[in-house]
Amino acid sequence: MSGWNLTGTSAAPWEHPGAAPGSGAAAEDDPNILSVTQAVKLAGATLDELPPITVLGEVSGFRGPYGARGHCYFQIKDESSSLECIIWGGVYKASPYELKNGLKMRFTGKFEVYARTGKMSFTISRFEPVGEGLLRQQVAALAEKLRREGLMDEARKRPIPAFCTRVAVVTSLSGAVIDDVKRTLRRRNPLVELICVGSRVQGEGAEAELIEALGRAAAIEPAPDCILLVRGGGSFEDLMTFNDEALARAVAASPVPVVTGIGHEPDTSICDMVSDRRCSTPTAAAESVAPAATELAELLRTREHRLATAMASVTGEAASELARASERATRAIETRLSRETLALRVLAERPCLRRPDETVLRRASELEQSADRLEAAMARGQERLRSSLERLLVRFPAGESLLATPRADLARASERLVRAGRGVCDARSSELARQAASLDALSPLKVLARGYAIAYDGEGVATSAGSFAPGDALRVRFADGEVSGTVSAVAPAAASTGA
């Protein structure tokens, strides 16, 4: 292989005079004839001698990263040619940029030949965007950095008050943006107080001025409800001020919530990503912090209607519940009164209350009957004893003298028995008489005998003048009878006063 000189004047293998095209006469041991492997190695060695080169082209057919290694395969092209390219996974992962179809990039690398297929490819060791693509890649890399730090997390962002009363706006005071913000706030809600803090929004040093203006706006006393950071539309390069890392961190660190309205609808800057609320335009940002007065009035009417409906529903349910509770309480009281009335009537029907002396009379009768039975039994016993003695005397005449002493003892025992029986009966009679006197003294009839009376209404004994009304039937019981009539007037007793 070292005998080949591609730059010299020696003939190439296909130019050898003994190898006519298509003749098949080349000998296998001819040193000027190469195998496929030798040819591929020759091409690879030749390409290895080339230094690394930098190629400018557009990415096309991008595929990858593949598998765990993350290799990427694609082509780069211009108006008339394309070139197969490979980026090994380690190189791609170490780069801060991402590739996708259509990007115009600068690629630095070397040509290599894949031995198995003989295909040539451009193996890239470094790549970077150019022009606007470079700026966009830088912005994307910064955005990813801040995202990983958590500055774009929704949980970190603070809520904006629904009704802002003081709003600070940071923007250029010489453009049309500040006039649009003033006009929008004045139209939607003239009660919102607007505080303008001027600053350049593009050009060299604009980032530092905006950071200083944000600090002045946050230091206003009393503090504003939010800060509007706004500017009009422009090119991507014009909006690069709001892609500055220091400004983005100042927006995220502001003690007052920040609302951004930068550029137009498709424009999104890093300040938009880290702000507490992002709006598509400055006008939209002003509208978001100042609800229209008509909208507020409509909202209040809607809330009033909802509140009235809710209160009506609550009071209706409470009234229904109160009615049910009142009905349950009425039934419970009526049931309790009926039960107590029945119990009172049962008690009133007891004989001891209807005729207090009935028990005493019954006991007196029982005592008299017991005394009669006792006397009758004693008489019958004496009679039987006398008959027995007489029969004994008839049969034994001489026993008269023998029976004299027992007879005398029997007579004395009989007398003692009679006295003891009378003592028992007298004691019981005295106790019975004392109890009868006590009951008689407590008897309602005794009270009636002293001149009092009992009044009855339609339900029973009346204990209060309030139980009657003019025209009610009245029944009055005295000791010797009853009187019925009709109430003509009710006069409550006058309240007594102490001395």
Side-chain angles (χ1 to χ4, degrees):
M1 293 296 296
S2 60
W4 293 104
N5 184 4
L6 298 180
T7 59
T9 57
S10 301
W14 52 87
E15 296 176 345
H16 196 273
S23 64
E28 292 184 359
D29 56 353
D30 190 340
N32 295 324
I33 299 177
L34 302 177
S35 66
V36 174
T37 301
Q38 290 174 332
V40 170
K41 288 183 178 180
L42 176 62
T46 303
L47 293 176
D48 284 342
E49 294 178 0
L50 296 177
I53 61 174
T54 299
V55 180
L56 178 64
E58 180 182 325
V59 177
S60 176
F62 183 78
R63 306 182 303 280
Y66 283 118
R69 295 184 178 181
H71 302 329
C72 302
Y73 305 89
F74 58 98
Q75 298 88 38
I76 55 176
K77 64 181 182 178
D78 55 16
E79 292 78 3
S80 57
S81 301
S82 65
L83 179 63
E84 290 288 339
C85 298
I86 298 175
I87 297 180
W88 303 125
V91 175
Y92 189 73
K93 293 177 182 178
S95 175
Y97 308 112
E98 292 184 0
L99 295 179
K100 61 181 180 180
N101 293 333
L103 288 181
K104 192 173 184 180
M105 309 284 287
R106 280 198 300 264
F107 300 94
T108 300
K110 293 188 65 175
F111 288 102
E112 292 183 356
V113 174
Y114 185 46
R116 181 168 297 180
T117 61
K119 290 184 177 180
M120 181 187 72
S121 62
F122 188 56
T123 303
I124 297 170
S125 58
R126 186 175 72 255
F127 61 94
E128 59 187 2
V130 295
E132 183 177 316
L134 174 61
L135 293 178
R136 291 187 182 275
Q137 288 286 342
Q138 291 173 347
V139 170
L142 177 59
E144 178 63 18
K145 174 184 176 181
L146 297 182
R147 184 191 65 79
R148 291 175 179 174
E149 293 182 15
L151 269 66
M152 300 179 187
D153 291 346
E154 290 298 325
R156 183 201 63 81
K157 298 185 178 183
R158 295 156 294 185
I160 308 299
F163 305 100
C164 296
T165 58
R166 286 171 59 84
V167 176
V169 58
V170 175
T171 188
S172 173
L173 301 183
S174 60
V177 171
I178 188 64
D179 295 331
D180 290 342
V181 172
K182 290 179 179 179
R183 186 167 50 253
T184 301
L185 292 178
R186 188 165 51 249
R187 170 176 54 84
R188 291 179 64 83
N189 195 334
L191 299 178
V192 177
E193 179 183 358
L194 182 64
I195 305 169
C196 300
V197 181
S199 172
R200 287 188 300 161
V201 294
Q202 70 180 66
E204 185 177 356
E207 296 87 348
E209 286 192 23
L210 286 170
I211 293 172
E212 191 269 338
L214 283 173
R216 284 190 285 122
I220 295 173
E221 291 293 341
D225 296 318
C226 67
I227 297 175
L228 297 183
L229 178 61
V230 295
R231 71 147 287 162
S235 65
F236 185 80
E237 288 79 3
D238 293 337
L239 299 179
M240 278 300 294
T241 299
F242 296 89
N243 290 319
D244 181 71
E245 180 177 358
L247 179 58
R249 293 187 182 277
V251 170
S254 173
V256 178
V258 177
V259 179
T260 56
I262 301 169
H264 296 299
E265 179 62 38
D267 300 324
T268 301
S269 66
I270 292 181
C271 286
D272 286 322
M273 299 177 188
V274 301
S275 66
D276 297 290
R277 177 188 292 172
R278 183 256 175 183
C279 298
S280 58
T281 63
T283 302
E287 290 177 349
S288 72
V289 299
T294 55
E295 295 176 1
L296 295 179
E298 181 62 27
L299 178 62
L300 289 177
R301 283 193 294 270
T302 302
R303 296 286 177 86
E304 180 184 8
H305 176 70
R306 290 170 54 190
L307 180 61
T309 303
M311 289 299 297
S313 176
V314 171
T315 54
E317 293 178 359
S320 300
E321 182 62 26
L322 182 60
R324 291 192 293 269
S326 176
E327 183 179 354
R328 291 194 300 269
T330 300
R331 288 199 302 268
I333 292 174
E334 290 176 352
T335 302
R336 179 66 181 272
L337 290 177
S338 299
R339 189 164 57 247
E340 296 295 339
T341 300
L342 179 61
L344 184 60
R345 288 178 179 174
V346 170
L347 291 175
E349 292 297 327
R350 289 186 175 182
C352 64
L353 296 179
R354 296 180 62 187
R355 294 187 59 187
D357 58 346
E358 182 178 0
T359 302
V360 177
L361 296 176
R362 187 175 65 252
R363 293 295 178 87
S365 175
E366 292 175 355
L367 187 58
E368 290 178 356
Q369 292 175 3
S370 297
D372 293 341
R373 287 196 297 271
L374 181 59
E375 291 181 358
M378 290 176 63
R380 287 194 298 273
Q382 289 178 358
E383 184 62 29
R384 285 197 297 270
L385 182 58
R386 187 180 299 109
S387 298
S388 299
L389 290 174
E390 289 177 353
R391 286 195 299 270
L392 288 173
L393 290 175
V394 171
R395 293 177 62 184
F396 303 101
E400 180 67 25
S401 59
L402 296 174
L403 294 176
T405 300
R407 185 179 291 114
D409 295 336
L410 182 59
R412 288 193 296 273
S414 178
E415 291 177 0
R416 287 197 301 273
L417 181 59
V418 170
R419 286 197 301 272
R422 288 176 179 174
V424 171
C425 291
D426 291 343
R428 296 296 177 87
S429 297
S430 299
E431 180 65 23
L432 182 60
R434 186 167 58 257
Q435 293 181 0
S438 299
L439 287 175
D440 186 56
L442 298 174
S443 174
L445 301 178
K446 194 72 173 179
V447 176
L448 296 177
R450 293 202 297 270
Y452 292 93
I454 301 176
Y456 296 87
D457 57 12
E459 297 183 356
V461 176
T463 61
S464 171
S467 302
F468 297 97
D472 290 348
L474 172 68
R475 183 165 57 92
V476 182
R477 179 178 178 179
F478 297 93
D480 57 349
E482 293 184 355
V483 174
S484 299
T486 303
V487 176
S488 60
V490 177
S496 60
T497 59

